[in-house]
Amino acid sequence: MTDLSKLIGIPYRSHGREYTGSDCWGILYLFYKDFFKIEIPRYEIGYKDADDFDSVSGKINSHLNEWKEVKSPVFGDVVLFNIAGKTVHAGVYLNESEFLHSLSGHDSAIDRLDSFAWRKRISNFYRWPRNI
């Protein structure tokens, strides 16, 4: 298993999929590559900008059929969040209280799922069917 510290503090960059800059999906992409040694779809094409909620929500919803929704998440599953009524943010589920993510204007970080900012925004959890 890889050390999470490599994925913390990565500068936010819309459409980013690198350690030099990543958006929320970029962090997922790097996590799967490091921890599970697999490449999940990059999905960096097809949305205007990560701050454009309509295009991001459309992109997420158009690919949910590739993932398996799970009720009991495990380390590495994807947690989706609603912001302004749209599913527009993703993070890596770490445990029952924490997730890893990158948000516009912030470096990647570990936050609490039960925090005021996130607890009522959780949409669903998903697992890449070809891992674990």
Side-chain angles (χ1 to χ4, degrees), residues 10-120:
I10 295 173
Y12 177 84
R13 189 178 77 217
S14 185
H15 296 95
R17 301 292 181 269
E18 304 293 331
Y19 296 99
T20 56
S22 291
D23 59 18
C24 65
W25 197 266
I27 295 299
L28 285 162
Y29 176 81
L30 294 171
F31 177 91
Y32 272 73
K33 189 173 163 185
D34 286 356
F35 278 82
F36 298 134
K37 307 297 184 224
I38 62 171
E39 289 198 27
I40 60 172
R42 295 175 61 98
Y43 300 141
E44 77 263 44
I45 299 170
Y47 64 95
K48 295 176 188 173
D49 184 89
D51 292 327
D52 180 343
F53 287 177
D54 287 332
S55 68
V56 171
S57 180
K59 184 67 171 181
I60 288 172
N61 289 324
S62 71
H63 289 284
L64 284 182
N65 63 334
E66 298 172 20
W67 295 77
K68 179 184 178 198
E69 185 175 353
V70 294
K71 297 297 179 199
S72 299
V74 298
F75 179 81
D77 285 344
V78 175
V79 54
L80 294 180
F81 297 93
N82 293 321
I83 299 175
K86 297 181 186 293
T87 303
V88 296
H89 188 56
V92 180
Y93 180 88
L94 300 176
N95 56 52
E96 62 192 32
S97 61
E98 297 177 314
F99 71 105
L100 171 69
H101 69 127
S102 182
L103 190 62
S104 181
H106 303 277
D107 292 349
S108 61
I110 294 175
D111 276 328
R112 295 194 53 84
L113 288 163
D114 61 357
S115 71
F116 180 77
W118 298 110
R119 69 178 175 241
K120 292 185 179 180

